[in-house]
Coordinates of all heavy atoms in Angstrom, one line a residue:
M220 N -79.8 -52.2 103.0 CA -80.7 -51.1 102.4 C -80.0 -50.4 101.4 O -78.9 -49.8 101.6 CB -81.1 -50.3 103.5 CG -82.1 -49.2 103.1 SD -82.7 -48.4 104.6 CE -83.0 -46.8 103.9
K221 N -80.5 -50.3 100.2 CA -80.0 -49.5 99.2 C -80.5 -48.1 99.1 O -81.7 -48.0 99.1 CB -80.2 -50.2 97.8 CG -79.5 -49.5 96.6 CD -79.6 -50.4 95.4 CE -79.0 -49.6 94.2 NZ -78.7 -50.3 93.1
M222 N -79.6 -47.1 99.2 CA -80.1 -45.8 99.1 C -80.2 -45.3 97.7 O -79.5 -45.6 96.8 CB -79.1 -44.9 99.8 CG -79.0 -45.2 101.4 SD -80.3 -44.9 102.3 CE -80.6 -43.2 102.1
Q223 N -81.2 -44.4 97.5 CA -81.4 -43.7 96.2 C -80.5 -42.6 96.1 O -80.4 -41.8 97.0 CB -82.9 -43.4 96.0 CG -83.8 -44.5 95.9 CD -83.6 -45.2 94.6 OE1 -83.2 -44.8 93.5 NE2 -83.9 -46.6 94.7
P224 N -79.8 -42.4 95.1 CA -79.0 -41.2 94.9 C -79.8 -39.9 94.9 O -81.0 -40.0 94.6 CB -78.3 -41.3 93.5 CG -78.4 -42.7 93.2 CD -79.6 -43.2 93.9
N225 N -79.3 -38.8 95.5 CA -80.0 -37.6 95.5 C -79.1 -36.4 95.4 O -77.9 -36.6 95.2 CB -80.8 -37.5 96.9 CG -80.0 -37.5 98.1 OD1 -79.1 -36.7 98.2 ND2 -80.3 -38.4 99.0
A226 N -79.6 -35.2 95.3 CA -78.8 -34.0 95.0 C -77.6 -34.0 96.0 O -76.5 -33.6 95.6 CB -79.6 -32.8 95.1
I227 N -77.8 -34.1 97.3 CA -76.8 -34.1 98.3 C -75.6 -35.0 98.1 O -74.5 -34.8 98.1 CB -77.3 -34.1 99.7 CG1 -78.2 -33.0 100.0 CG2 -76.2 -34.3 100.8 CD1 -77.5 -31.7 100.1
T228 N -76.0 -36.4 98.0 CA -75.0 -37.4 97.8 C -74.3 -37.3 96.5 O -73.0 -37.5 96.5 CB -75.7 -38.8 97.9 OG1 -76.7 -38.9 96.9 CG2 -76.3 -39.1 99.2
D229 N -75.0 -36.8 95.5 CA -74.2 -36.6 94.2 C -73.3 -35.5 94.3 O -72.2 -35.4 93.8 CB -75.3 -36.3 93.0 CG -76.1 -37.4 92.7 OD1 -75.6 -38.6 93.0 OD2 -77.1 -37.3 92.1
M230 N -73.7 -34.3 94.9 CA -72.9 -33.1 95.1 C -71.7 -33.3 95.8 O -70.6 -32.9 95.6 CB -73.7 -32.0 95.7 CG -72.9 -30.7 95.9 SD -73.9 -29.3 96.4 CE -74.5 -30.0 98.0
L231 N -71.7 -34.1 97.0 CA -70.7 -34.4 97.9 C -69.8 -35.7 97.5 O -68.8 -35.9 98.1 CB -71.2 -34.5 99.3 CG -71.9 -33.2 99.9 CD1 -72.4 -33.5 101.3 CD2 -70.8 -32.1 99.9
G232 N -70.4 -36.4 96.6 CA -69.7 -37.6 96.1 C -69.7 -38.7 97.3 O -68.6 -39.4 97.4
I233 N -70.7 -38.8 98.1 CA -70.8 -39.8 99.1 C -71.9 -40.8 98.8 O -72.8 -40.5 97.9 CB -71.1 -39.1 100.5 CG1 -72.3 -38.3 100.5 CG2 -69.8 -38.3 100.9 CD1 -72.7 -37.7 101.8
R234 N -71.8 -42.0 99.4 CA -72.8 -43.0 99.1 C -74.0 -42.8 99.9 O -75.2 -43.1 99.5 CB -72.2 -44.4 99.4 CG -73.0 -45.6 99.0 CD -72.4 -46.9 99.2 NE -71.1 -46.9 98.5 CZ -70.0 -47.7 99.0 NH1 -70.2 -48.4 99.9 NH2 -68.9 -47.7 98.3
Y235 N -74.0 -42.5 101.1 CA -75.1 -42.3 102.1 C -75.2 -41.0 102.6 O -74.1 -40.3 102.9 CB -74.9 -43.3 103.2 CG -74.8 -44.8 102.8 CD1 -73.5 -45.4 102.9 CD2 -75.9 -45.5 102.3 CE1 -73.4 -46.7 102.4 CE2 -75.7 -46.8 101.8 CZ -74.5 -47.4 101.9 OH -74.3 -48.7 101.5
P236 N -76.3 -40.5 102.9 CA -76.5 -39.1 103.4 C -76.3 -39.1 104.9 O -77.2 -38.8 105.8 CB -77.9 -38.7 103.0 CG -78.7 -40.0 103.0 CD -77.7 -41.0 102.5
V237 N -75.1 -39.6 105.4 CA -74.7 -39.6 106.7 C -73.7 -38.6 107.0 O -72.6 -38.6 106.3 CB -74.2 -41.0 107.2 CG1 -73.7 -41.1 108.6 CG2 -75.3 -42.0 107.0
F238 N -73.9 -37.7 108.0 CA -72.9 -36.7 108.3 C -72.4 -36.8 109.7 O -73.3 -36.7 110.7 CB -73.5 -35.2 108.0 CG -74.0 -35.1 106.7 CD1 -75.2 -35.4 106.3 CD2 -73.1 -34.5 105.7 CE1 -75.7 -35.2 105.0 CE2 -73.5 -34.3 104.5 CZ -74.8 -34.6 104.1
Q239 N -71.2 -37.1 110.0 CA -70.6 -37.1 111.2 C -70.1 -35.8 111.6 O -69.2 -35.2 111.1 CB -69.4 -38.2 111.3 CG -68.8 -38.3 112.7 CD -67.4 -37.7 112.7 OE1 -66.6 -37.7 111.8 NE2 -67.2 -36.9 113.8
G240 N -70.8 -35.1 112.6 CA -70.5 -33.8 113.0 C -69.2 -33.7 113.7 O -68.9 -34.6 114.5
P241 N -68.3 -32.7 113.4 CA -67.0 -32.5 114.1 C -67.3 -32.2 115.6 O -68.1 -31.3 116.0 CB -66.3 -31.4 113.4 CG -67.4 -30.8 112.6 CD -68.6 -31.6 112.4
M242 N -66.7 -32.9 116.5 CA -66.8 -32.7 117.9 C -65.5 -32.3 118.6 O -64.5 -33.0 118.2 CB -67.4 -33.9 118.6 CG -68.8 -34.4 118.1 SD -69.3 -36.0 118.7 CE -68.4 -37.1 117.6
G243 N -65.4 -31.3 119.4 CA -64.2 -30.9 120.1 C -63.8 -31.7 121.3 O -64.6 -32.7 121.6
A244 N -62.8 -31.4 122.0 CA -62.4 -32.0 123.2 C -61.9 -33.5 123.0 O -62.1 -34.3 123.9 CB -63.5 -31.9 124.3
G245 N -61.4 -33.8 121.8 CA -61.0 -35.1 121.6 C -62.0 -36.2 121.3 O -61.7 -37.4 121.2
L246 N -63.3 -35.8 121.2 CA -64.4 -36.8 120.9 C -64.3 -37.3 119.5 O -64.7 -38.4 119.2 CB -65.7 -36.2 121.3 CG -65.9 -35.9 122.8 CD1 -67.2 -35.1 123.0 CD2 -65.8 -37.1 123.6
S247 N -64.0 -36.4 118.6 CA -63.9 -36.7 117.2 C -62.4 -37.0 116.9 O -61.5 -36.1 117.1 CB -64.3 -35.5 116.3 OG -64.2 -35.8 115.0
T248 N -62.1 -38.2 116.6 CA -60.8 -38.6 116.2 C -60.5 -38.9 114.8 O -61.5 -39.1 114.0 CB -60.4 -39.9 117.0 OG1 -61.2 -41.0 116.5 CG2 -60.6 -39.8 118.5
P249 N -59.4 -38.8 114.3 CA -59.1 -39.1 112.9 C -59.6 -40.6 112.5 O -60.1 -40.7 111.4 CB -57.6 -39.0 112.7 CG -57.2 -38.0 113.7 CD -58.1 -38.3 114.9
A250 N -59.5 -41.4 113.5 CA -60.0 -42.8 113.2 C -61.5 -42.9 112.9 O -62.0 -43.6 112.1 CB -59.6 -43.7 114.4
L251 N -62.2 -42.0 113.8 CA -63.7 -42.0 113.6 C -64.0 -41.3 112.2 O -64.9 -41.9 111.5 CB -64.4 -41.2 114.8 CG -65.8 -40.9 114.6 CD1 -66.6 -42.3 114.6 CD2 -66.3 -40.1 115.8
V252 N -63.4 -40.2 111.9 CA -63.6 -39.6 110.6 C -63.4 -40.6 109.5 O -64.1 -40.7 108.5 CB -62.7 -38.3 110.6 CG1 -62.9 -37.7 109.1 CG2 -63.2 -37.3 111.6
A253 N -62.2 -41.2 109.5 CA -61.9 -42.2 108.5 C -62.9 -43.3 108.4 O -63.3 -43.8 107.3 CB -60.5 -42.8 108.7
A254 N -63.5 -43.8 109.5 CA -64.4 -44.9 109.5 C -65.7 -44.5 108.8 O -66.3 -45.2 108.1 CB -64.7 -45.4 110.9
V255 N -66.2 -43.2 109.2 CA -67.4 -42.7 108.6 C -67.3 -42.5 107.1 O -68.1 -42.9 106.2 CB -67.8 -41.4 109.3 CG1 -69.0 -40.7 108.5 CG2 -68.2 -41.7 110.8
T256 N -66.1 -42.0 106.7 CA -65.8 -41.7 105.3 C -65.7 -43.0 104.5 O -66.3 -43.1 103.5 CB -64.6 -40.9 105.2 OG1 -64.8 -39.6 106.0 CG2 -64.3 -40.5 103.8
N257 N -64.9 -44.0 105.1 CA -64.8 -45.2 104.4 C -66.1 -46.0 104.3 O -66.2 -46.8 103.3 CB -63.7 -46.0 105.2 CG -62.4 -45.5 104.9 OD1 -62.0 -44.8 104.0 ND2 -61.4 -45.9 105.9
A258 N -67.1 -45.7 105.1 CA -68.3 -46.4 105.1 C -69.3 -45.7 104.1 O -70.3 -46.3 103.9 CB -69.0 -46.4 106.5
G259 N -68.8 -44.6 103.5 CA -69.7 -44.0 102.5 C -70.3 -42.7 103.0 O -71.2 -42.1 102.2
G260 N -70.1 -42.3 104.2 CA -70.6 -41.0 104.7 C -69.7 -39.9 104.6 O -68.6 -39.9 104.0
L261 N -70.0 -38.7 105.3 CA -69.1 -37.6 105.3 C -68.7 -37.3 106.7 O -69.4 -37.1 107.5 CB -69.9 -36.4 104.7 CG -69.1 -35.0 104.7 CD1 -68.0 -35.1 103.7 CD2 -70.0 -33.9 104.5
G262 N -67.3 -37.6 106.9 CA -66.8 -37.4 108.3 C -66.2 -36.0 108.5 O -65.8 -35.3 107.4
G263 N -66.2 -35.5 109.6 CA -65.7 -34.2 110.0 C -64.9 -34.2 111.3 O -65.2 -34.9 112.2
H264 N -63.9 -33.4 111.2 CA -63.0 -33.3 112.4 C -62.8 -31.9 113.0 O -62.7 -31.0 112.2 CB -61.6 -33.9 112.0 CG -60.7 -34.1 113.2 ND1 -59.7 -33.2 113.6 CD2 -60.6 -35.2 114.0 CE1 -59.1 -33.6 114.7 NE2 -59.6 -34.9 115.0
C265 N -63.0 -31.7 114.3 CA -62.8 -30.5 114.9 C -61.3 -30.2 115.2 O -60.7 -31.0 115.8 CB -63.7 -30.4 116.1 SG -63.6 -28.9 117.0
N266 N -60.9 -29.0 114.9 CA -59.5 -28.7 115.3 C -59.4 -27.5 116.4 O -58.5 -26.8 116.5 CB -58.7 -28.2 114.1 CG -59.3 -26.9 113.5 OD1 -60.3 -26.4 113.9 ND2 -58.6 -26.3 112.5
S267 N -60.4 -27.6 117.3 CA -60.5 -26.5 118.3 C -59.4 -26.7 119.4 O -59.0 -25.7 120.0 CB -61.9 -26.6 119.0 OG -62.0 -27.8 119.7
T268 N -58.8 -27.8 119.4 CA -57.7 -28.1 120.5 C -56.4 -27.9 119.9 O -55.4 -27.9 120.6 CB -57.9 -29.5 121.1 OG1 -57.7 -30.5 119.9 CG2 -59.1 -29.7 121.8
L269 N -56.3 -27.6 118.5 CA -54.9 -27.3 118.0 C -54.5 -25.9 118.3 O -55.3 -25.0 118.4 CB -55.0 -27.5 116.5 CG -55.4 -28.9 115.9 CD1 -55.5 -28.8 114.4 CD2 -54.4 -29.9 116.4
K270 N -53.2 -25.7 118.5 CA -52.7 -24.4 118.8 C -52.4 -23.6 117.5 O -52.1 -24.2 116.4 CB -51.4 -24.6 119.5 CG -51.5 -25.2 120.9 CD -50.2 -25.3 121.6 CE -50.5 -25.9 122.9 NZ -49.4 -26.4 123.7
R271 N -52.7 -22.4 117.6 CA -52.4 -21.5 116.4 C -50.9 -21.2 116.2 O -50.2 -21.2 117.2 CB -53.1 -20.1 116.6 CG -54.6 -20.2 116.8 CD -55.2 -18.9 117.1 NE -55.8 -18.5 115.9 CZ -56.3 -17.2 115.7 NH1 -56.3 -16.4 116.7 NH2 -56.9 -16.9 114.6
H272 N -50.6 -21.1 114.9 CA -49.2 -20.8 114.6 C -49.0 -19.3 114.8 O -49.9 -18.5 114.4 CB -48.9 -21.2 113.2 CG -48.8 -22.6 113.0 ND1 -47.9 -23.5 113.5 CD2 -49.7 -23.4 112.3 CE1 -48.1 -24.7 113.1 NE2 -49.2 -24.7 112.4
S273 N -48.0 -18.9 115.4 CA -47.7 -17.4 115.6 C -47.0 -17.0 114.3 O -46.3 -17.7 113.6 CB -46.8 -17.2 116.8 OG -45.6 -17.9 116.6
K274 N -47.2 -15.7 114.0 CA -46.7 -15.1 112.8 C -45.2 -14.8 113.1 O -44.8 -14.4 114.2 CB -47.4 -13.8 112.4 CG -48.8 -14.0 111.9 CD -49.4 -12.7 111.6 CE -50.9 -13.0 111.0 NZ -51.4 -11.8 110.6
P275 N -44.4 -15.1 112.0 CA -43.0 -14.7 112.3 C -42.6 -13.4 112.4 O -43.3 -12.5 112.0 CB -42.3 -15.3 111.0 CG -43.3 -15.6 110.1 CD -44.6 -15.5 110.8

């Protein structure tokens, strides 16, 4: 199926208007984000499980 370009796909530079929402608790992995992005969508990764850096 060929998608018609539209304002969102043009603005974000993606091929398809597919958005992979970032999910916490390890459900969203870098591999999933890369797969969605490589397929022409917009992948997102949640960093809620990352530890904050303390100030020196």
Side-chain angles (χ1 to χ4, degrees):
M220 178 173 151
K221 186 171 180 170
M222 298 294 299
Q223 294 292 329
N225 60 55
I227 294 293
T228 57
D229 289 343
M230 179 175 58
L231 297 174
I233 57 178
R234 185 178 306 155
Y235 303 106
V237 174
F238 300 89
Q239 178 253 319
M242 300 171 280
L246 299 173
S247 179
T248 64
L251 176 60
V252 175
V255 171
T256 303
N257 289 336
L261 180 68
H264 190 264
C265 180
N266 65 353
S267 64
T268 58
L269 297 178
K270 295 182 180 169
R271 299 176 104 184
H272 292 289
S273 60
K274 292 184 179 181

